[in-house]
Amino acid sequence: MNRRDFALDLTTPLSTARGRIERREGTLIELTAGDARGVGEATPLPGWTESLADCRAALDAVARAVSDGRLTPVDPSHPLAAATDALLDAVSDAPAARHAVECALLDAAGRRRGRSLAALLADDPASTVPVNATLGDADAATTAQA
C-alpha cells in the first residue's frame, strides 16, 4: 500500500455547530487488487469520524495487514467481503480509513473492468451532479443567500 498525506486550506472556512473548519487534512492511499491498482481517500472530520491520528494509525494497520501489497479482487456490492480479519479490525472503528480502503478497492475493480467507478456501481450513472454544496451553521438569512 502506498500513501500520501495531504493538507488543504479551505478558501472559505466552514462554520459548523462543532466549530469552524478552516483546513482539511487526510491521506490518499493506493492499493493493488488482483492485477489493478486503485486509489482511495480518507479525510476524517474529528468529532464526526475518527481523529486524523487515529485514521492514520488505522491505515498503518491496513498496510501491515496487506504486507504483500496485494488484495483479492472485489465484488462491487461488497468491497470488503474478501478482506482478512486483520484488515477489517484495522478499520472497524475508523470510518474515514474504511472509506479510503473501500474506495481504493472499488476503483481497482472499475479499472480492471475498464469502467468508471460510477458505471461500476450503477447501470445508468448520472453524468453530472446538479447541486453539490455544504452550507455552514449561519443565521437563516446568510444560509438562504448562500
Side-chain angles (χ1 to χ4, degrees), residues 85-105:
D85 287 342
L87 191 150
L88 292 174
D89 288 347
V91 297
S92 66
D93 291 324
R98 182 182 181 114
H99 173 266
V101 172
E102 288 181 336
C103 284
L105 291 171

Side-chain angles (χ1 to χ4, degrees), residues 36-140:
R37 291 185 151 318
V39 177
E41 168 263 329
T43 309
L45 269 175
W48 286 278
T49 68
E50 73 271 27
S51 69
L52 180 62
D54 287 345
C55 179
R56 291 183 174 159
L59 292 173
D60 288 342
V62 168
R64 288 189 299 275
V66 187
S67 59
D68 68 355
R70 300 181 71 78
L71 291 169
T72 303
V74 301
D75 170 1
S77 62
H78 303 288
L80 292 177
T84 64
D85 287 342
L87 191 150
L88 292 174
D89 288 347
V91 297
S92 66
D93 291 324
R98 182 182 181 114
H99 173 266
V101 172
E102 288 181 336
C103 284
L105 291 171
L106 288 168
D107 183 41
R111 289 173 193 243
R112 188 173 35 266
R113 297 173 182 171
R115 302 180 77 189
S116 69
L117 182 55
L120 183 69
L121 298 175
D123 292 332
D124 187 25
S127 59
T128 62
V129 177
V131 176
N132 182 10
T134 301
L135 301 177
D137 186 33
D139 61 78

Side-chain angles (χ1 to χ4, degrees), residues 10 12-22 48 134-138:
L10 298 181
T12 305
L14 177 65
S15 293
T16 74
R18 294 190 176 184
R20 188 174 166 98
I21 300 172
E22 297 183 3
W48 286 278
T134 301
L135 301 177
D137 186 33

